Amino acid sequence: MVSPMTPDPVRLVLVDDHEMVIEGLKAMLTTFGDRVRVVGQAVGAERALPVVDDLDPDIVLCDVRMQGASGLDLCAELRTRNPGRKVVMLSVYDDEQYLFQALRVGASGYLLKSISSDELVRQLEFVHRGETAIDPVMAARAVDTAARLQRDEFWPGARQGLTQRESEILACVVNGLSNKGIAGKLVIGDETVKTHLRSIYRKLGVSDRTSAAATALREGIYQ
């Protein structure tokens, strides 16, 4: 009796602007060597193009936000060079707007860095088989957002360009919560709060939380 052939491991190139993150991912995936194999890595999007061109991996696993060119820029460029290239975003940002942007530039998946090692491997195998991998919580939120937009139901601040998550954070600012308080209420990291606040300030044309709160009240974003 002939035993079925064991499929070859999924060949990965890892891209992040922090070498420590790359090494952590490699260590996490070591025990799954029969299913996934890291064949290359690049620190920063700019260094990734020649690595991917040379190694032609099955999947490029990269961060969304990096210094210089972003993972979204990298994905778009890789897909331009090779429309069949599979790119999966691995990010700390649970904002569905990043998910939408990733899908628009042709990403095959958007997963969060809080994912377990066995689930990451499982999702990468899904992508290798031609499926799209999306964090389930983000997928549910994205469906709800799309449905609300279809019904012309907008969250406060949407017309100012705020994402739903940014709207939630701005509401917390208006209510006087500190960064730590916002992080605890929304169950997100302190650095994630700071990143969203910078985006909120830019979109509202202000430079601090007091001005952001004042603008939100003056513009009627919150009653």
Side-chain angles (χ1 to χ4, degrees), residues 1 9 11 17-18 20 48 66 69 75 78 111 119 140-141 149 151 165 180 192 199 204 209 216 219 222:
M1 181 177 182
R11 301 172 65 254
D17 57 351
H18 293 95
M20 184 179 298
M66 295 182 280
C75 180
L78 289 173
L111 303 171
E119 181 62 16
R141 192 189 303 155
L149 289 172
R151 297 192 302 266
R165 176 62 91 186
K180 188 175 183 62
T192 301
S199 179
L204 296 182
R209 63 196 308 118
E219 296 294 328
Y222 302 102

Side-chain angles (χ1 to χ4, degrees), residues 92-215:
V92 298
Y93 299 103
D94 65 344
D95 192 320
E96 63 268 27
Q97 295 303 318
Y98 280 120
L99 167 60
F100 293 149
Q101 291 175 42
L103 295 178
R104 278 198 294 268
V105 296
S108 297
Y110 191 105
L111 303 171
L112 299 180
K113 287 186 176 178
S114 57
I115 193 171
S116 65
S117 55
D118 57 337
E119 181 62 16
L120 174 59
V121 171
R122 193 168 72 90
Q123 295 292 344
L124 291 172
E125 290 174 330
F126 284 163
V127 170
H128 189 41
R129 293 198 296 267
E131 302 178 36
T132 300
I134 300 176
D135 176 84
V137 174
M138 290 193 66
R141 192 189 303 155
V143 169
D144 178 64
T145 296
R148 292 175 64 184
L149 289 172
Q150 185 68 28
R151 297 192 302 266
D152 286 334
E153 295 178 4
F154 295 94
W155 52 85
R159 297 189 185 279
Q160 285 78 16
L162 300 183
T163 66
Q164 191 166 4
R165 176 62 91 186
E166 288 168 351
S167 177
E168 294 171 349
I169 290 175
L170 181 57
C172 292
V173 171
V174 170
N175 288 323
L177 271 67
S178 65
N179 286 6
K180 188 175 183 62
I182 296 172
K185 179 179 176 62
L186 300 181
V187 196
I188 56 178
D190 291 348
E191 288 302 317
T192 301
V193 173
K194 292 177 183 177
T195 298
H196 284 308
L197 285 174
R198 286 194 292 269
S199 179
I200 291 169
Y201 297 162
R202 176 176 54 79
K203 291 176 181 179
L204 296 182
V206 300
S207 58
D208 55 58
R209 63 196 308 118
T210 300
S211 299
T215 298

Side-chain angles (χ1 to χ4, degrees), residues 8 12 16 28 30 38 40 61 64 70 83 85 94 101 115 119 122 133 139-140 153 158 168 213:
D8 293 332
L12 300 178
D16 198 287
M28 187 171 76
T30 297
V38 177
L61 184 64
V64 171
S70 71
R85 177 70 64 204
D94 65 344
Q101 291 175 42
I115 193 171
E119 181 62 16
R122 193 168 72 90
E153 295 178 4
E168 294 171 349

